[in-house]
Amino acid sequence: MGPHSADDTVINKCQAYFQLLIFTFGHKEHIANLKTGNNIIGRTDESDIIIRDCQVSKRHCTIQISPCGAFLSDDGSTNGTFVSCEKVGNSPRKLENGDTIHIGQSLLQFITNV
């Protein structure tokens, strides 16, 4: 067979993906693909995912992607991080497909195929 076998195609279709749909001020801004490890969300260019919202902290929260799933933690933000209207406390919160995350005036929807 060529460089890619039928087995490779099956493996690629089965790979997990994790994304955020980002809505700022009620308008869909973009889709962010999440990488394995830490995905820092904040207002500054040092963040992996930048949200231009004055109510989002410079380093607002982190989504960690691991073999155990996706976990959201607040990084000491000023205005808090909320999942489905519940404030994320000191412990990381496991994210499920379709969860809505509120930070500042922005809404993020967590999407996965896992």
Side-chain angles (χ1 to χ4, degrees):
M1 291 193 144
H4 299 287
S5 70
D7 289 338
D8 289 338
T9 303
V10 171
I11 291 170
N12 288 336
K13 286 183 180 178
C14 294
Q15 288 179 338
Y17 67 83
F18 302 89
Q19 296 178 318
L20 287 178
L21 302 179
I22 301 169
F23 300 86
T24 302
F25 307 110
H27 301 287
K28 183 176 170 190
E29 193 168 291
H30 65 279
I31 298 172
N33 293 315
L34 301 172
K35 66 184 190 297
T36 300
N38 290 333
N39 297 269
I40 299 167
I41 302 170
R43 195 177 69 235
T44 65
D45 292 337
E46 289 81 36
S47 300
D48 298 306
I49 300 168
I50 302 166
I51 310 261
R52 302 288 186 204
D53 175 340
C54 63
Q55 292 185 14
V56 171
S57 295
K58 292 178 183 177
R59 181 176 174 151
H60 198 98
C61 59
T62 299
I63 296 177
Q64 182 184 40
I65 304 295
S66 74
C68 297
F71 296 87
L72 173 70
S73 57
D74 185 272
D75 293 341
S77 67
T78 302
N79 295 314
T81 302
F82 300 83
V83 176
S84 302
C85 299
E86 294 179 17
K87 189 169 186 174
V88 175
N90 296 331
S91 301
R93 177 180 171 137
K94 185 171 174 109
L95 293 174
E96 302 294 338
N97 186 42
D99 277 349
T100 55
I101 304 164
H102 290 102
I103 61 171
Q105 296 178 21
S106 299
L107 171 72
L108 294 69
Q109 185 174 21
F110 179 73
I111 304 294
T112 183
N113 70 339
V114 175

